[in-house]
Amino acid sequence: MGRLLALAAALIAAALIAWADARLPAPAPLDAPQAAFSAERAMADVIAIASVPHPLGTAAHDVSRDILLRRMAALGLDPQIHHGVGVELGKFDASRAAAGAVDNVIGVLPGKDRGAPAVALMAHYDSVPASPGSADDAAGVASALEIVRAIKARGAPARDVILLITDGEEAGLLGANAFFASDPMARRIGFVFNMEARGSSGRVQMFQAGHRNGGAIALLQKTAIRPQASSLTGFIYEHMANDTDFTVARGAKVAGLNYAFIGRQFDYHSPSSTPATLDLGALQDMGQQVLSTASAVAFAPALPAPAPDVVYGQAPGAVTLAYPPIVGWLIVAASAGLLAWAVVRARRTEAFGGFDVARGAGAALFAVLGAVAVMHFARRATGVPFGYLEQRFLLAQAPRWETALFLIGLGMLLLAIAEVARGRRKAIVLPLLAGVGSCAFGGVDQIGLGLGLAAALVGLAAYGRPVSRSGAWAGALLLGIVVAAAAQAAAPAAAFVIAWPVALGALGAAATGLAVGRSPATLALLAILGALGLAFAGGFAHASYLSLDLPELLGLPVLIGLFALWPLAQPDEGAPPARLVGPVLILAGLAMTAAVRFNHPYDARHPEATFVGYRLEQDTHKGWRFSRTSLDTPWTAAVLKADGGVPAKLSDWALGKVEAAPAPYLDLPTPQMALSREVSGDLRLHVAPPAGARSIYLRFKSDTAISIVAIAGAPTTVAIKPGQDARLTWSTGGQAFDVTLRAAGPGKIDVAYSATTDGWPAGAAPLPKRPSEVMAFDVSDSAVLAGERHFAW
């Protein structure tokens, strides 16, 4: 019973530690000291900038820009509009490009040494269509304004502080690209702080640093207030399609730190991202974290010196640990040494052989694979298809869904460990059933079947006879050391996620002789170590849950949670009550999953997203009403059937696969295109989007090798290979622009277009009124004009 009580104490303590680390600070009031950051003061700027959607190229966007100019002028920053053209190539596909004309708004707080490298506070003021963008990124802009005001209140800084408010980030990092590619002021910046958001709440994380970040991380350690930072997130972010303006600064070799809060993601890029839904605590966290470090940089006689990249991460209690990558090997070696010593000590009291160690390692692997298999089943059992818009059903009830996954993951962890004491193989049935059950939701699920079968096979080998606690724990730690070593070899920046928990478990193993005894002191030590390990795992579980709609990622927290928790979770041999904790948690998680599936989460606060449009094929004079969401919403079904057409699947190069129904053709203006040859021999394609267009999307197909070498005068390189296509999005649709082409010889090129206009076309039957629990998402309620032009030279 003592071990069970210690386990319960560890679970409760871990939850409290995780809660404390995730707790948002109280927003500072309007009358807070002038040198401090106040979320209440910053909120006034959020309201001014982000009360309505203001995407690039709209009148509301220009209003927000002018508000910024006045606000920065009041701070004495002498603001200027820096016009430019930004071009962004696809991160993993250089045949894709985005471009547009931008208005960056830049102000300067002069420092004592005007020639010293400046520090920049960067955020973007444009929003996505249909979203006011109060979090993304009015929160960043308002934070930057309040931070520079607080720095000014502290006296003249040592160097200039540049307020760099970029434009067109949502259209493809266009403002940042224009600035760092061609703006002379970019050469003055020596350090940049970027502020972003993905959702409307949550702790702020410094999730990415610049190259040679040793000096910057050391400064962060010394100055930041309750920081959240991890080299793992930076490593992952480099391999994801996502980007922020900081990516451009980092690519220009500018040192800096990238911050964002991630939480309540239902509001991300959503009409619900209003000032009323922005969490003031998240705004306060952003401001005080960045101010503490930015102020140190601004007043320092020198910028943080570039130094080799370090591994860094967050330990429970807001402690940031950092060290050179080579130290990771020392941690792995120390863990191996501690484990060896613990095994030698334990074998003097309780004999166990290599098979026990192997079975322990197998049980640990079974815990991970089994948890992943059951969580995969739970995701399929929600009935929610995978997709950006489809996932909103889960985001509207995010706490319930996250709780379900956490209960399943923790339950499988405890079940797998508890069954080692009995050695029965019945445990393997659960992941196997989960794999088979995954096929009940939309056909054969090869991933689910594979996970369930893999878990069952590992469990079949691991279980079969009782295994001692010492032997099993030794096996689990040995598995962890092997995984940590592999991670250290492949990705040192990420390896600490495994290495630290393994070291914690190995330390406990050495201190307790691999937990042979059960004295109060031993159990107390194990409870403390288990709480720390599980709290560390819980932090990464929450981050993994928030990052992607991929429950399988939660297998990592299951793995890192078991190393220190194992000796408390494995009961004595037989059938003690402790073995039932895991099954109870799993049942609770599956019951919560059922609640998620059958709950209707949409209401006025969390409206259901609809995305409808009117597509006009201008070459064939055909019209379609289309929807990018399913027809489950009665409102959407009514829109598609309004002209008597029968909805069916429509495949379009620009829209993808959508639900569409035939509709009357409307004679709307078409874009104008003309191809001419320059004196240099290059070709110039002049494109004039149709009146009222918000953006125009072009697809190029040529029968000869050709490259796009400039867009609206901004140099670039986009190769168009014969028989393949290249694509370009121009996001300031009301402006004409030129595409400069360089061809290898004579040839032909086909240019298909898809232009999106603002608003539902006037000649179409009007849209029905939306209920309060239904909202228009992104560029919904627009007309899409499609066609193709053919040129030869």
Side-chain angles (χ1 to χ4, degrees):
M1 185 58 72
R3 199 174 297 275
L4 179 58
L5 291 175
L7 173 63
L11 295 178
I12 294 170
L16 291 174
I17 294 171
W19 172 83
D21 283 345
R23 182 172 51 87
L24 290 170
L30 291 172
D31 59 354
Q34 291 299 300
F37 184 93
S38 165
E40 294 282 359
R41 286 194 290 252
M43 194 63 195
D45 291 318
V46 173
I47 294 171
I49 298 166
S51 290
V52 297
H54 49 285
L56 179 66
T58 63
H61 162 276
D62 295 346
V63 170
S64 293
R65 178 200 61 201
D66 294 342
I67 290 172
L68 274 173
L69 286 169
R70 292 193 296 270
R71 182 73 176 88
M72 291 164 69
L75 287 170
L77 305 181
D78 188 25
Q80 306 291 327
I81 297 176
H82 289 220
H83 304 287
V85 173
V87 179
E88 171 74 0
L89 299 183
K91 188 172 184 178
F92 302 115
D93 185 354
S95 68
R96 303 291 187 266
V102 293
D103 290 342
N104 293 327
V105 183
I106 302 175
V108 180
L109 175 65
K112 294 178 181 178
D113 183 356
R114 301 302 306 278
V119 57
L121 300 169
M122 183 165 63
H124 68 88
Y125 72 95
D126 63 306
S127 74
V128 296
S131 175
S134 67
D136 183 17
D137 190 27
V141 173
S143 293
L145 290 166
E146 173 67 1
I147 289 167
V148 79
R149 184 209 57 74
I151 290 175
K152 184 179 181 181
R154 300 180 182 191
R159 65 194 68 255
D160 285 359
V161 177
I162 295 176
L163 203 56
L164 173 56
I165 309 302
T166 62
D167 191 9
E169 192 270 355
E170 300 293 4
L173 317 181
L174 303 183
N177 273 292
F179 179 80
F180 287 102
S182 59
D183 197 312
M185 186 173 281
R187 293 191 290 273
R188 294 185 53 203
I189 297 177
F191 203 93
V192 62
F193 292 85
N194 187 57
M195 287 160 278
E196 267 285 2
R198 187 180 178 91
S200 61
S201 186
R203 283 299 314 277
V204 170
Q205 299 202 23
M206 197 296 290
F207 67 98
Q208 187 183 29
H211 297 289
R212 293 182 57 78
N213 62 39
I217 298 305
L219 179 71
L220 181 80
Q221 286 181 291
K222 294 176 184 176
T223 61
I225 299 174
R226 290 186 67 217
Q228 293 280 313
S230 166
S231 55
L232 171 67
T233 57
F235 172 80
I236 293 174
Y237 203 72
E238 288 184 37
H239 296 83
M240 292 176 63
N242 308 59
D243 276 318
T244 68
D245 282 340
F246 187 78
T247 304
V248 183
R250 194 172 187 268
K253 301 297 187 288
V254 179
L257 301 171
N258 199 7
Y259 296 79
F261 54 82
I262 306 177
R264 292 211 303 240
Q265 291 190 75
F266 182 88
D267 297 323
Y268 177 59
H269 284 181
S270 168
S272 62
S273 182
T274 66
T277 62
L278 177 62
D279 193 321
L280 279 173
L283 186 59
Q284 181 69 35
D285 197 27
M286 174 73 80
Q288 68 184 31
Q289 278 203 50
V290 177
L291 172 60
S292 61
T293 305
S295 178
V297 174
F299 287 94
L303 295 176
D309 287 345
V310 294
V311 177
Y312 57 97
Q314 211 67 41
V319 177
T320 305
L321 303 178
Y323 50 80
I326 190 66
V327 173
W329 286 114
L330 298 180
I331 296 174
V332 174
S335 298
L338 288 170
L339 176 59
W341 182 36
V343 169
V344 170
R345 287 185 61 197
R347 285 173 61 87
R348 294 171 183 168
T349 306
E350 180 182 9
F352 59 87
F355 282 109
D356 278 9
V357 174
R359 288 179 184 276
L365 185 58
F366 171 78
V368 176
L369 291 174
V372 170
V374 180
M375 287 188 287
H376 179 86
F377 164 78
R379 176 61 181 86
R380 295 298 301 268
T382 63
V384 179
F386 289 88
Y388 178 66
L389 289 175
E390 290 78 3
Q391 185 199 2
R392 297 184 63 79
F393 182 89
L394 299 177
L395 295 178
Q397 47 185 331
R400 184 182 292 113
W401 174 229
E402 183 175 15
T403 300
L405 291 174
F406 282 18
L407 288 172
I408 291 171
L410 181 59
M412 275 301 303
L413 169 61
L414 297 179
L415 170 66
I417 296 174
E419 288 304 306
V420 171
R422 299 201 302 168
R424 297 187 180 183
R425 288 180 169 142
K426 291 182 180 180
I428 71 174
V429 175
L430 180 57
L432 194 58
L433 287 177
V436 174
S438 296
C439 299
F441 306 98
V444 176
D445 181 357
Q446 295 182 354
I447 295 176
L449 282 174
L451 289 170
L453 182 60
L457 290 175
V458 170
L460 190 65
Y463 300 109
R465 69 173 181 81
V467 179
S468 70
R469 184 179 295 110
S470 298
W473 192 17
L477 289 171
L478 180 61
L479 174 68
I481 290 170
V482 171
V483 174
Q488 180 67 27
F496 76 92
V497 178
I498 302 293
W500 291 3
V502 170
L504 192 69
L507 179 62
T512 63
L514 224 61
V516 173
R518 61 175 70 195
S519 68
T522 296
L523 294 178
L525 175 62
L526 292 175
I528 292 171
L529 296 177
L532 292 174
L534 196 58
F536 184 77
F540 278 99
H542 184 57
S544 300
Y545 167 79
L546 291 173
S547 299
L548 293 169
D549 181 19
L550 197 62
E552 294 80 5
L553 289 176
L554 296 176
L556 175 61
V558 171
L559 176 64
I560 65 181
L562 63 82
F563 299 122
L565 200 65
W566 192 287
L568 297 179
Q570 181 172 343
D572 295 328
E573 185 177 344
R579 69 186 176 85
L580 300 177
V581 176
V584 169
L585 292 178
I586 294 171
L587 289 174
L590 293 176
M592 191 75 77
T593 300
V596 168
R597 179 185 177 99
F598 296 110
N599 179 53
H600 181 75
Y602 298 119
D603 53 27
R605 170 61 182 91
H606 299 96
E608 183 171 7
T610 56
F611 194 140
V612 299
Y614 205 105
R615 183 181 183 275
L616 295 169
E617 178 54 64
Q618 295 185 305
D619 294 338
T620 60
H621 288 195
K622 291 182 179 179
W624 305 84
R625 289 170 174 257
F626 71 87
S627 171
R628 281 186 163 175
T629 59
S630 71
L631 301 183
D632 292 344
T633 305
W635 185 90
T636 300
V639 171
L640 263 63
K641 298 174 183 177
D643 293 311
V646 177
K649 292 290 184 182
L650 174 69
S651 185
D652 177 80
W653 71 269
L655 299 175
K657 291 183 178 180
V658 295
E659 296 282 347
Y665 179 74
L666 304 174
D667 191 13
L668 297 183
T670 63
Q672 301 301 306
M673 300 186 198
L675 186 70
S676 60
R677 186 177 291 277
E678 302 284 88
V679 175
S680 64
D682 290 338
L683 302 171
R684 180 170 65 92
L685 177 68
H686 182 72
V687 181
R694 169 172 297 191
S695 63
I696 186 167
Y697 189 23
L698 304 176
R699 182 190 66 186
F700 300 87
K701 283 190 174 182
S702 176
D703 65 354
T704 189
I706 191 170
S707 295
I708 299 174
V709 295
I711 302 169
T716 190
T717 302
V718 180
I720 307 174
K721 299 178 181 179
Q724 300 181 21
D725 66 4
R727 301 189 183 191
L728 164 64
T729 302
W730 177 261
S731 292
T732 37
Q735 300 183 23
F737 63 101
D738 293 334
V739 180
T740 304
L741 303 164
R742 187 165 295 161
K748 299 178 181 179
I749 191 169
D750 301 325
V751 184
Y753 66 86
S754 180
T756 301
T757 68
D758 265 329
W760 192 251
L767 294 171
K769 182 180 179 180
R770 281 183 172 87
S772 61
E773 68 273 11
V774 175
M775 65 181 174
F777 201 84
D778 199 64
V779 292
S780 181
D781 305 8
S782 301
V784 178
L785 315 178
E788 193 166 6
R789 300 288 183 269
H790 309 281
F791 303 98
W793 61 93

